[in-house]
Amino acid sequence: MIKSKTFFSPENLAFIVLGVFVVVVMPVLNCLPVDNPLHLSTFQLSVWGKYLCYAVLAMSLNFVWGYTGLLCLAQNLFFSLGGYAFGMYLMLMIGPDPVYNSALPDFMDFLGYQKLPAHWVPFENFWFAIGAVMWVPGLLAFIFGYLAFRSRIKGVYFSILTQALTYAASLLFFRNDTTFGGNNGFTDFKTILGYSLRDPETMRAIFIASGLLMVFTYFLISWLLSTKLGKVQQAIRDSENRVLFSGYSTLSFKLLIFTLSAAIAGLAGALYVPQAGIINPSEMVPSKGLDVVVWVALGGRGSKWGPIIGAVVVNLLKSWATRAYPESWLIILGAIFVFVVIFMPNGIVGLPAQFKALRKKWSKQPEPSST
Amino acid sequence: MKAFFLIVTILASTLLPTSGVQSENARRLFSDLILKAGDEDALIDQLAETGDPYVIDLVAAVRIGGLLQDPVTPDKLIISLDNQYAYLLGGETFTGDPASLDKVRASRSLRKKFSRVVSLIELASPDYQARAEAAIKIGASQKEEFLPELRKRIDTQPTNTLKEAFREALSLSLLKNGTDAEKLEAIEALGDLSSVSGRDFLKTAREAYAQDESAKQYLAACDTALKKIESHEKRVEFIGTLFRGLSTGSVLLIVSYGLAITFGLMGVINMAHGEFIAIGAYTVYVVQNQFAKIFEPGTFGFETYFLWSLPFAFLVPAILGALMERGVIRFLYNRPLESLLATWGISMIIQQAIRLIFGAANVQVTTPEWISGSFELFGASMTYNRLAVIIFSVVVIFMTWVLLRRTNLGLQIRATMQNRNMASNLGIPARKINMLTFAYGSGLAGLAGAFLSQIGNVGASMGQAYIVDSFMVVVIGGVGNLVGAAISSMGIGMVDQLLQPVLGPVMGKISVLIAIILFLQWKPGGLFPSRSRSLDD
């Protein structure tokens, strides 16, 4: 396993370069005049911003799956809950609309609400919304995790239960009467903290925030892994019973990690929403949860770079293939998936090591023995 | 076959005067009535006595302006049906210009008499179901004129159901038209018959009695009767819920039994299980289309297509499952989490392949006549296709039990599933057994799809709706325990149907999922946890 010896390991240095590129260079390219060949349009910037949020989502999954061995299929649920919490704030910032002439979100006018439901009121405050983005998914993860870990549900059963949780939540959010906009979810956002979402400056700021979130998440996870918590965490992945017999309460460790990863996923969801311009329950369906797992598996789980590479590669591939081969995109994705699982157990990040091992094998045995 | 068609043609065309030789009498009486050739009351009585259902059609024709008169020969009535014009008497086709005809209208008093005739004829309908319904309808109308008719006919009714229907009708009518003693009797009778249609009448009657101090006796009788009806309704509802729960449970059972084998016994998280269900359903669709090419839809030959499709619905997914096991799964026996990922990839491939081959829209699978429709049991209505699923789920359990417990192959399967290495050391061809077991599980999924095609939509993603539920069934039942899977699917189906009327379908489903998570707090290993000394099981 990769050990984080010092802060200035080549891995971390490479990441700092990436971070500077994302946080500084890309926004600068966006500032360039439109006719400059290096100009990055605001649209493209927001697409990359979405990928950054996906990367953070993948990192949060990697934190629980790659380093703790808990394959959580509800990561997209935490992501969407964060997105919904922030979406509630953005919905309230739209202001009175000309059709119904009320400050309520459109779908509420449509359903005949006279005043804002009580649980919506605090979301008029930006900082409350930011807090909710973390504690709502965190709380759900805490409660669910406590119930699951307490009764020693692990491995495949944990995955199946998290999938059931996601399924139940998506059913709930697809309904109209749960005050979350039903099928259509939230859309048509206008302003954030008083700045228009149509301005390139606002979008640039959100992009930089996404980049910073990725950098922050990377170093938070790196730091945690180097602490005692990280050691116990990886020990749980490798043999939970031994950790248990050594006198550690694996319940509290797993619970902390699970809750933290849900909060990170929620933050990623919150930054995703203004850049995508919409959040609806289709982000919450069980198959999306498996998509996140694909990103991490393809990039390489249990590695710091893996989830970032996986999330970006799969999504780039997706945006290309859905245009070039709209009919067979799912077949391509499925085939990649099967291939990765069977032939690339350590993902893209693990490929160099795999090639090295192969070369060693060949150089040791130039001619295969004929037995 | 030809004779059969002939009969069908004749039956279909009885409405046209040309064929209805038996209706000649009714037709003449009717014509006389309209043309006022004779005493109206005597003719009406004679018309009612014929008991000919054709009269109902004639009356309806008058109402919608389908009875016409040629101004040139006004004594010859013409009846129009489906844009064909024929003389009422004799039945020759009218060849003139239909636009020249005048519509015949019956007078108000005649129309009233006609409606009475229709009611009387319906009361004597040869179709018992229709006759009972007509009786209740007439009773509920509470018209005094029918009282003697109902009373006269009760004892001559051939079946008990009909007798009860007539008694109910009579009581309904007596509630308004009877003497005081008869009213009391009627109230009691309605209670004894658990008459659902009588409830509203009883409630109205009860309100009237409640005003009247001297009618305490009646009030009490009404209350008893209402209570009886209510308890009967509750019983019917309970039986209905029981049946629906049983059928939901059976659907879950046949959907999850394949998974109980691939996941429960083999330990493979088969996310493509739902897609094998879809493949089974599409196999039925293909077989149906082949049958439709050979036989006319609706014929006996076509109706049997579903039976012929069942072996294919088992074999096609089974072969695909065997290929999948050889190609992918066998590399992943020691990595269960990764089998989840690989099979998820396969599921995406299969879904999209189905969409490419059959189109993205749902396909139409016709339900054969013999498993559509419904029947009544203790007053609760049940459909045949649901009943077929229940029977089939029992067959599946039995088949699997015989395979696993009573055959040599089953012994080898169980040994291999317990310990692959040990089994192959003892000379069991573990590779082959793995493949066959996986194929069997996939085949069961296909059979489930075949039955789902009869009760739901057939589309590429049809299996997705069941996959979460199926995993729940297996986990609750205790992984590796087929009896547990059967019990848990019935339990989940029952709870689902009990909660749905109270909470609505979505909240009901969510409550079931939450209940499952809480259940696992109490019994983490499911109903029947597998016992093992190994630490990491």
Side-chain angles (χ1 to χ4, degrees):
Chain A
M1 224 6 63
I2 307 141
K3 280 183 190 169
S4 46
K5 281 169 216 146
T6 56
F7 182 75
F8 293 105
S9 65
E11 205 181 20
N12 285 0
L13 285 175
F15 187 78
I16 291 170
V17 175
L18 175 76
V20 170
F21 181 77
V22 167
V23 177
V24 181
V25 179
M26 285 176 79
V28 168
L29 290 182
N30 178 237
C31 287
L32 291 174
V34 181
D35 49 1
N36 190 307
L38 286 174
H39 171 77
L40 192 66
S41 76
T42 305
F43 173 74
Q44 275 172 319
L45 198 70
S46 70
V47 169
W48 279 100
K50 283 198 285 185
Y51 292 171
L52 291 182
C53 296
Y54 284 147
V56 175
L57 172 61
M59 283 158 90
S60 76
L61 176 69
N62 185 39
F63 188 52
V64 280
W65 182 34
Y67 290 113
T68 328
L70 301 164
L71 177 52
C72 171
L73 298 181
Q75 214 67 19
N76 71 315
L77 169 65
F78 302 139
F79 180 81
S80 320
L81 284 179
Y84 264 98
F86 200 63
M88 281 162 86
Y89 163 77
L90 291 174
M91 281 309 267
L92 293 177
M93 289 303 111
I94 293 176
D97 60 290
V99 184
Y100 293 98
N101 200 20
S102 84
L104 293 180
D106 270 3
F107 67 88
M108 286 194 191
D109 294 322
F110 187 70
L111 290 173
Y113 281 82
Q114 292 305 316
K115 67 191 230 315
L116 209 58
H119 62 276
W120 270 73
V121 175
F123 282 90
E124 285 180 344
N125 184 314
F126 177 78
W127 297 108
F128 179 86
I130 287 291
V133 155
M134 290 184 281
W135 71 253
V136 169
L139 183 70
L140 178 67
F142 182 83
I143 295 171
F144 182 82
Y146 177 73
L147 292 175
F149 300 141
R150 200 184 66 106
S151 49
R152 304 250 178 105
I153 291 169
K154 54 190 174 188
V156 178
Y157 307 105
F158 179 75
S159 310
I160 291 169
L161 274 186
T162 50
Q163 192 181 37
L165 178 74
T166 314
Y167 182 55
S170 72
L171 287 179
L172 202 64
F173 274 77
F174 268 118
R175 283 183 69 97
N176 276 329
D177 53 7
T178 41
T179 73
F180 298 110
N183 267 346
N184 303 319
F186 304 153
T187 186
D188 282 338
F189 310 123
K190 299 235 160 55
T191 59
I192 180 168
L193 285 171
Y195 299 101
S196 167
L197 282 167
R198 291 188 208 292
D199 290 345
E201 287 84 13
T202 318
M203 294 315 290
R204 209 177 301 143
I206 297 174
F207 177 83
I208 292 172
S210 311
L212 286 175
L213 177 67
M214 186 178 79
V215 173
F216 166 76
T217 310
Y218 179 90
F219 284 110
L220 176 73
I221 291 177
S222 302
W223 173 69
L224 282 176
L225 287 173
S226 68
T227 62
K228 198 173 147 193
L229 171 84
K231 302 282 178 253
V232 175
Q233 177 187 359
Q234 292 171 62
I236 289 174
R237 174 192 62 193
D238 296 337
S239 175
E240 186 172 351
N241 283 321
R242 286 197 198 180
V243 180
L244 208 55
F245 297 153
S246 308
Y248 289 92
S249 156
T250 54
L251 168 71
S252 36
F253 282 97
K254 288 202 285 189
L255 203 52
L256 174 67
I257 288 156
F258 190 47
T259 311
L260 184 64
S261 103
I264 295 173
L267 270 176
L271 283 171
Y272 171 83
V273 169
Q275 301 187 81
I278 186 167
I279 176 81
N280 61 29
S282 66
E283 289 293 329
M284 231 183 242
V285 293
S287 63
K288 291 270 175 166
L290 280 153
D291 279 351
V292 187
V293 178
V294 184
W295 306 340
V296 178
L298 180 73
R301 68 194 154 104
S303 68
K304 288 176 193 163
W305 274 86
I308 303 174
I309 294 174
V312 173
V313 166
V314 173
N315 280 297
L316 277 179
L317 195 67
K318 184 177 178 179
S319 74
W320 167 74
T322 42
R323 256 176 289 130
Y325 306 101
E327 302 246 283
S328 36
W329 150 244
L330 281 174
I331 295 184
I332 296 171
L333 186 69
I336 290 176
F337 215 8
V338 177
F339 183 86
V340 167
V341 168
I342 295 180
F343 298 105
M344 293 162 53
N346 295 321
I348 294 175
V349 172
L351 274 183
Q354 242 178 317
F355 281 132
K356 223 182 193 172
L358 269 181
R359 212 176 316 137
K360 220 182 216 169
K361 214 165 133 192
W362 283 337
S363 60
K364 262 187 190 168
Q365 298 170 294
E367 288 163 28
S369 52
S370 54
T371 41
Chain B
M1 222 24 146
K2 260 188 185 165
F4 177 67
F5 271 117
L6 199 65
I7 292 167
V8 169
T9 331
I10 290 171
L11 282 176
S13 56
T14 41
L15 283 178
L16 285 174
T18 35
S19 57
V21 183
Q22 313 96 312
S23 300
E24 201 53 49
N25 189 25
R27 225 172 259 141
R28 208 190 52 246
L29 289 167
F30 198 80
S31 167
D32 288 350
L33 261 172
I34 297 279
L35 299 171
K36 303 197 187 348
D39 178 38
E40 201 171 89
D41 286 332
L43 284 171
I44 282 285
D45 285 345
Q46 286 177 29
L47 194 62
E49 258 166 47
T50 60
D52 191 337
Y54 186 59
V55 175
I56 299 170
D57 295 324
L58 286 174
V59 171
V62 174
R63 202 180 56 236
I64 60 168
L67 194 68
L68 305 152
Q69 214 168 15
D70 193 346
V72 187
T73 52
D75 55 336
K76 280 186 173 174
L77 292 173
I78 293 158
I79 186 156
S80 102
L81 278 162
D82 303 330
N83 287 325
Q84 291 185 38
Y85 295 84
Y87 288 103
L88 183 59
L89 294 180
E92 293 96 10
T93 317
F94 169 73
T95 45
D97 176 20
S100 69
L101 300 176
D102 296 330
K103 282 179 188 165
V104 174
R105 303 217 174 272
S107 70
R108 198 180 144 79
S109 70
L110 189 57
R111 283 209 302 273
K112 224 172 168 183
K113 281 172 187 161
F114 274 152
S115 84
R116 178 184 152 80
V117 170
V118 167
S119 299
L120 289 177
I121 289 172
E122 276 173 350
L123 268 186
S125 163
D127 178 359
Y128 288 172
Q129 181 79 25
R131 195 192 290 186
E133 276 166 19
I136 301 287
K137 200 179 97 193
I138 287 167
S141 75
Q142 294 192 323
K143 280 186 189 150
E144 201 172 356
E145 48 177 322
F146 291 110
L147 213 50
E149 292 292 340
L150 286 170
R151 208 169 277 174
K152 191 172 75 191
R153 288 167 197 240
I154 285 182
D155 293 326
T156 54
Q157 293 308 318
T159 69
N160 271 337
T161 330
L162 273 175
K163 274 184 186 153
E164 277 181 8
F166 272 73
R167 197 170 305 129
E168 190 179 339
L170 182 65
S171 309
L172 283 173
S173 186
L174 279 176
L175 221 48
K176 186 179 169 210
N177 306 316
T179 61
D180 281 353
E182 278 174 335
K183 276 183 189 169
L184 195 61
E185 214 171 279
I187 292 169
E188 278 164 6
L190 284 176
D192 289 337
L193 292 166
S194 332
S195 156
V196 177
S197 37
R199 190 178 38 194
D200 288 342
F201 290 102
L202 280 175
K203 273 187 185 156
T204 338
R206 190 192 171 280
E207 262 164 42
Y209 289 131
Q211 306 291 325
D212 190 355
E213 273 298 309
S214 60
K216 283 236 172 77
Q217 194 189 356
Y218 295 93
L219 195 64
C222 277
D223 283 340
T224 339
L226 279 171
K227 218 171 269 170
K228 272 183 188 166
I229 294 172
E230 204 168 291
S231 76
H232 171 76
E233 279 225 299
K234 270 197 186 137
R235 203 165 56 236
V236 167
E237 208 180 282
F238 177 72
I239 292 170
T241 310
L242 210 66
F243 177 75
R244 280 193 302 275
L246 209 61
S247 87
T248 313
S250 310
V251 171
L252 269 182
L253 186 135
I254 57 174
V255 166
S256 53
Y257 229 55
L259 199 71
I261 289 170
T262 52
F263 169 48
L265 282 180
M266 302 184 71
V268 176
I269 323 294
N270 187 8
M271 296 302 281
H273 184 75
E275 279 54 53
F276 285 118
I277 293 174
I279 290 174
Y282 274 92
T283 311
V284 174
Y285 171 69
V286 171
V287 172
Q288 170 205 265
N289 288 353
Q290 293 308 315
F291 268 67
K293 277 182 200 160
I294 304 168
F295 302 99
E296 288 278 319
T299 59
F300 176 75
F302 178 74
E303 291 278 286
T304 57
Y305 89 86
F306 183 61
L307 291 180
W308 295 106
S309 70
L310 287 181
F312 293 103
F314 179 83
L315 282 176
V316 174
I319 292 168
L320 282 171
L323 287 176
M324 183 169 141
E325 199 276 337
R326 284 291 82 191
V328 179
I329 306 285
R330 67 169 164 151
F331 302 111
L332 304 170
Y333 279 123
N334 298 323
R335 298 187 282 167
L337 281 178
E338 277 152 53
S339 76
L340 186 154
L341 302 181
T343 50
W344 170 245
I346 293 172
S347 115
M348 280 197 281
I349 296 175
I350 296 178
Q351 262 190 51
Q352 194 58 26
I354 290 177
R355 283 198 197 100
L356 289 180
I357 298 169
F358 295 100
N362 286 351
V363 296
Q364 202 65 46
V365 176
T366 36
T367 308
E369 203 65 45
W370 48 274
I371 48 173
S372 49
S374 62
F375 64 101
E376 251 182 45
L377 191 67
F378 306 116
S381 159
M382 305 174 176
T383 54
Y384 283 113
N385 52 8
R386 295 265 169 190
L387 189 71
V389 173
I390 294 177
I391 294 170
F392 179 68
S393 67
V394 176
V395 173
V396 165
I397 296 179
F398 183 72
M399 218 162 72
T400 311
W401 180 79
V402 169
L403 175 76
L404 287 180
R405 296 276 159 181
R406 286 287 174 274
T407 64
N408 216 9
L409 179 67
L411 189 67
Q412 296 187 347
I413 288 176
R414 282 183 290 141
T416 314
M417 298 316 135
Q418 265 185 21
N419 191 331
R420 281 199 181 87
N421 294 334
M422 184 70 84
S424 40
N425 280 351
L426 293 171
I428 294 172
R431 284 172 148 212
K432 199 176 123 199
I433 295 292
N434 278 336
M435 186 180 80
L436 286 178
T437 317
F438 197 83
Y440 183 71
S442 310
L444 282 187
L447 279 181
F451 271 82
L452 288 182
S453 76
Q454 301 299 315
I455 54 178
N457 293 330
V458 177
S461 53
M462 64 183 286
Q464 291 293 309
Y466 295 98
I467 191 82
V468 175
D469 289 334
S470 314
F471 274 112
M472 288 296 119
V473 165
V474 179
V475 171
I476 287 288
V479 174
N481 193 308
L482 293 176
V483 181
I487 294 174
S488 78
S489 52
M490 286 301 159
I492 292 176
M494 286 287 176
V495 174
D496 189 53
Q497 287 300 324
L498 282 174
L499 288 180
Q500 263 193 24
V502 190
L503 298 170
V506 175
M507 288 311 284
K509 211 164 179 56
I510 292 168
S511 320
V512 169
L513 285 170
I514 292 171
I516 287 171
I517 291 171
L518 292 178
F519 175 83
L520 288 176
Q521 296 303 302
W522 172 51
K523 274 185 172 295
L527 283 171
F528 300 95
S530 56
R531 285 196 206 90
S532 156
R533 295 187 180 198
S534 147
L535 191 59
D536 273 318
D537 258 359

